[in-house]
Amino acid sequence: MKGKVLWLVVLCAVAGIHGCPRKSTPRVTPTEATIQAVTAPPDVERPAGGASGSRGGSSSRSSVTNSELQLLTEELLTLDNGLVQPSVSRQGKTTSRSDGDSASNPLIANVPRSTMNNPTVVLMQQLLDNYEPQVNRREDRTSAEQSEENSFLDAIMRAPLMARLETFLQQKGLITSGLRSTLKDIWFTLYKRGGRQPGSSGFEHVFVGELKGGKVSGFHNWLNFRHEEVDGDLNYKGYMKAIDLNGKGQIIKLRFDWLNEQKPVGSLFVGTTPELEMALYTLCFLAKPDSKCSVQLAGKKFKIQTWTASFGGKTVIGSAYPDI
């Protein structure tokens, strides 16, 4: 009975279930990993065990070692062209339990023009307004939006780090087709997440963000974070932890409100290229799905957590984010 009560408390705290007792239940503020672990299974159709279905590669468990992952991710960072870094103002520290605001200014104060004019950054920006935030509302992909997706994929596939990633994945038997078609499937397939309509995709969840049950879900990309700050729709409230990547970006664990809904704890890369982020998440999704994947950038070891989702016979990305 004690275990059932504790599980109910976590569900109420995470999902905001109506009808849960408020006075007799202690406040529980879960971590990002806990939020995903509790909410991910009901959000979308998922195969038994979370590893079946077509993923553009092998359906068996990967034999890739942590050492191989760390060596490869360092190599990917070396191959990445990088960006001129934005000005970042982390300001005050906070916790996921805090109700206050520890940051009076935006997180991303300024982004150099050369960075905003980078080809993959430009094409990423074009995708940001293609999505409906509410996960229970149907996404209508117009031909123009699909063309933008294809242009973005074509551009990131020209990056040297993607060629190296493709070779590695093919050698390990993790993909049986080309990397570009795999990216199209796992990132841009529309599926259901907590509703009857196909209102979500891996790309929207991770790189744009969604609203589900009165909470911010996903939203792990700095370019959209900056975009929403500029538009006045996002209020950054402070950070918990940060890792510097020696001039190629940083990772920040933080708290914010978006469209008047809360994200008590989240994490994102800042100052990194779209192709590097997509390469890291794709690698971990294919090599270590539904688990913490050991990576290393600029000598800093950390984890990337991925979650799978299954829809229409495909196993696609449910979520992916740096876990620090």
Side-chain angles (χ1 to χ4, degrees):
M1 177 62 71
K2 184 177 180 181
K4 291 182 179 179
V5 172
L6 179 59
W7 184 241
L8 177 61
V9 170
V10 175
L11 283 176
C12 292
V14 176
I17 299 175
H18 297 294
C20 290
R22 295 186 179 183
K23 294 182 180 179
S24 60
T25 303
R27 182 176 181 179
V28 177
T29 307
T31 63
E32 174 87 350
T34 305
I35 291 172
Q36 292 293 346
V38 173
T39 62
D43 281 351
V44 290
E45 284 183 57
R46 297 183 67 186
S52 63
S54 171
R55 205 170 53 216
S58 171
S59 61
S60 62
R61 276 288 174 178
S62 166
S63 61
V64 180
T65 66
N66 289 343
S67 177
E68 287 176 314
L69 288 169
Q70 290 164 5
L71 287 172
L72 177 63
T73 49
E74 279 284 21
E75 184 179 357
L76 295 179
L77 182 66
T78 300
L79 291 170
D80 184 43
N81 291 326
L83 298 169
V84 180
Q85 290 299 290
S87 299
V88 176
S89 177
R90 293 199 294 262
Q91 301 164 79
K93 278 202 166 187
T94 188
T95 70
S96 58
R97 297 180 179 88
S98 176
D99 293 324
D101 191 338
S102 300
S104 58
N105 296 313
L107 171 67
I108 302 170
N110 180 60
V111 183
R113 181 176 297 179
S114 61
T115 294
M116 295 306 298
N117 289 337
N118 178 279
T120 57
V121 170
V122 170
L123 292 169
M124 166 77 82
Q125 297 273 74
Q126 291 177 1
L127 298 176
L128 299 181
D129 63 355
N130 290 353
Y131 301 96
E132 164 59 51
Q134 295 290 345
V135 298
N136 58 359
R137 295 181 185 172
R138 184 181 183 90
E139 293 288 355
D140 294 318
R141 294 169 71 202
T142 67
S143 58
E145 289 171 348
Q146 292 182 59
S147 178
E148 289 174 351
E149 291 172 6
N150 288 326
S151 295
F152 173 70
L153 288 172
D154 289 341
I156 66 170
M157 284 303 302
R158 288 192 286 269
L161 65 88
M162 283 297 184
R164 177 67 184 101
L165 176 62
E166 182 172 43
T167 298
F168 179 88
L169 294 174
Q170 290 174 340
Q171 289 174 342
K172 291 294 182 179
L174 294 173
I175 59 173
T176 54
S177 58
L179 179 57
R180 189 196 183 283
S181 61
T182 300
L183 295 176
K184 182 78 169 178
D185 276 348
I186 65 177
W187 284 105
F188 291 100
T189 294
L190 291 177
Y191 55 79
K192 300 174 185 177
R193 185 191 296 267
R196 296 183 178 182
Q197 303 293 334
S200 184
S201 68
F203 183 85
E204 179 186 5
H205 183 84
V206 175
F207 289 96
V208 183
E210 301 175 299
L211 299 177
K212 180 180 182 292
K215 298 282 187 180
V216 177
S217 182
F219 206 132
H220 301 289
N221 176 254
W222 72 276
L223 286 169
N224 196 42
F225 197 99
R226 175 257 178 195
H227 178 269
E228 294 299 294
E229 281 193 312
V230 170
D231 281 357
D233 291 327
L234 188 148
N235 181 23
Y236 167 62
K237 292 190 167 184
Y239 77 105
M240 296 98 168
K241 186 176 180 181
I243 296 177
D244 181 70
L245 300 177
N246 297 341
K248 286 242 176 159
Q250 55 187 292
I251 309 167
I252 304 177
K253 186 176 183 179
L254 73 179
R255 186 168 65 89
F256 62 93
D257 292 346
W258 178 49
L259 297 175
N260 297 316
E261 304 293 357
Q262 296 182 2
K263 182 79 171 179
V265 55
S267 58
L268 65 161
F269 291 97
V270 178
T272 43
T273 63
E275 55 266 36
L276 178 64
E277 291 184 47
M278 188 160 279
L280 294 172
Y281 292 146
T282 299
L283 169 64
C284 288
F285 169 77
L286 294 171
K288 303 290 182 182
D290 296 306
S291 63
K292 296 182 190 300
C293 171
S294 296
V295 299
Q296 179 174 308
L297 298 178
K300 312 294 176 57
K301 295 179 181 179
F302 61 98
K303 309 286 187 180
I304 287 178
Q305 173 75 58
T306 63
W307 295 105
T308 61
S310 182
F311 190 76
K314 296 179 180 180
T315 300
V316 296
I317 292 175
S319 188
Y321 55 89
D323 189 344
I324 64 172

